[in-house]
Amino acid sequence: MAFASDNSDDRYPATHANTSNTFAPDKVSDFINDLTFDPIRLHPMAGQGGIDFLQVDDQSPTPLPGTGRTALPSRGWSDDLCYGTGTTYLAGLTLGGAWGLAEGVRKGSAAPNFKIRVNGMLNSITRRGPFVGNSVGVVAMLYNGTNSIIGHYRGKHDSLNSIAAGALSGALFKSTAGARAAGSTAAVCATLAGVWSLGKEYIFS
């Protein structure tokens, strides 16, 4: 019994012919050129003659007259309060830590061993550093807040504002210790504030 040859090509004719790809994508430049933008929807001021560049005056970072230029440009009383309080606190913390270190070295000279000497120095540093840092930080916060209030109501910022703010801050800081302590602290703070204000005007003028 003879069987006909099984030819797969004959039984299953080709159904997929090799056709060339007729899809030709556009170029990126053509796609971008076809896009249209409505400038009025992008920015409301675009329909009013265009947008001008902002001119920033570096010479007067604050609107109050008499501020001049400072080491850090200020955007208002909040910047002065944050920067002034933070930098003063860090400076007081550093000076207080140095004071505590010197005190610990002096008192630890009579310690029987090195471990007790180091422990005494660390105790002095952690006692003096935060005490000085917190104290001057509170005074700086009172000073910057009072100075901003005085400048707001006077309409200008000058050395008189700083001296008055320093006196009020010192008196308020020591108000619970009696009139004599409050007066002496007010005089010291007013002197330091005056020296600081005049020094800034001399350096940055």
Side-chain angles (χ1 to χ4, degrees):
M1 183 175 181
F3 295 95
S5 60
D6 187 7
N7 192 350
S8 60
D9 293 338
D10 296 336
R11 293 175 60 189
Y12 303 101
T15 58
H16 298 283
N18 293 329
T19 59
S20 60
N21 188 5
T22 60
F23 176 74
D26 295 334
K27 296 181 179 179
V28 177
S29 59
D30 297 336
F31 175 75
I32 295 177
N33 292 331
D34 292 338
L35 295 178
T36 57
F37 297 97
D38 188 1
I40 298 179
R41 296 184 62 184
L42 294 177
H43 198 284
M45 294 181 62
Q48 302 179 5
I51 303 175
D52 296 332
F53 290 100
L54 296 177
Q55 301 294 332
V56 180
D57 188 6
D58 295 334
Q59 301 295 329
S60 56
T62 58
L64 289 179
T67 53
R69 299 187 65 182
T70 58
L72 292 175
S74 174
R75 291 176 295 182
W77 67 271
S78 59
D79 280 6
D80 294 337
L81 184 64
C82 294
Y83 292 145
T85 304
T87 54
T88 306
Y89 172 77
L90 291 177
L93 189 66
T94 303
L95 293 177
W99 177 22
L101 178 61
E103 185 181 44
V105 171
R106 185 179 67 255
K107 292 182 178 181
S109 58
N113 54 51
F114 179 75
K115 184 177 180 179
I116 297 178
R117 189 180 303 114
V118 172
N119 189 29
M121 287 189 296
L122 293 177
N123 289 336
S124 298
I125 291 173
T126 55
R127 183 174 64 253
R128 298 298 184 184
F131 169 74
V132 176
N134 293 334
S135 299
V136 298
V138 170
V139 174
M141 183 172 60
L142 294 173
Y143 166 77
N144 285 283
T146 307
N147 192 22
S148 299
I149 294 174
I150 295 175
H152 173 73
Y153 283 101
R154 291 190 66 211
K156 61 180 179 179
H157 185 81
D158 53 11
S159 299
L160 182 61
N161 292 9
S162 299
I163 295 173
L168 291 175
S169 301
L172 184 61
F173 180 72
K174 282 293 185 179
S175 59
T176 58
R180 184 175 180 179
S184 59
T185 307
V188 172
C189 291
T191 303
L192 293 176
V195 171
W196 169 253
S197 179
L198 294 175
K200 285 196 303 181
E201 291 182 2
Y202 176 77
I203 294 175
F204 296 103
S205 60

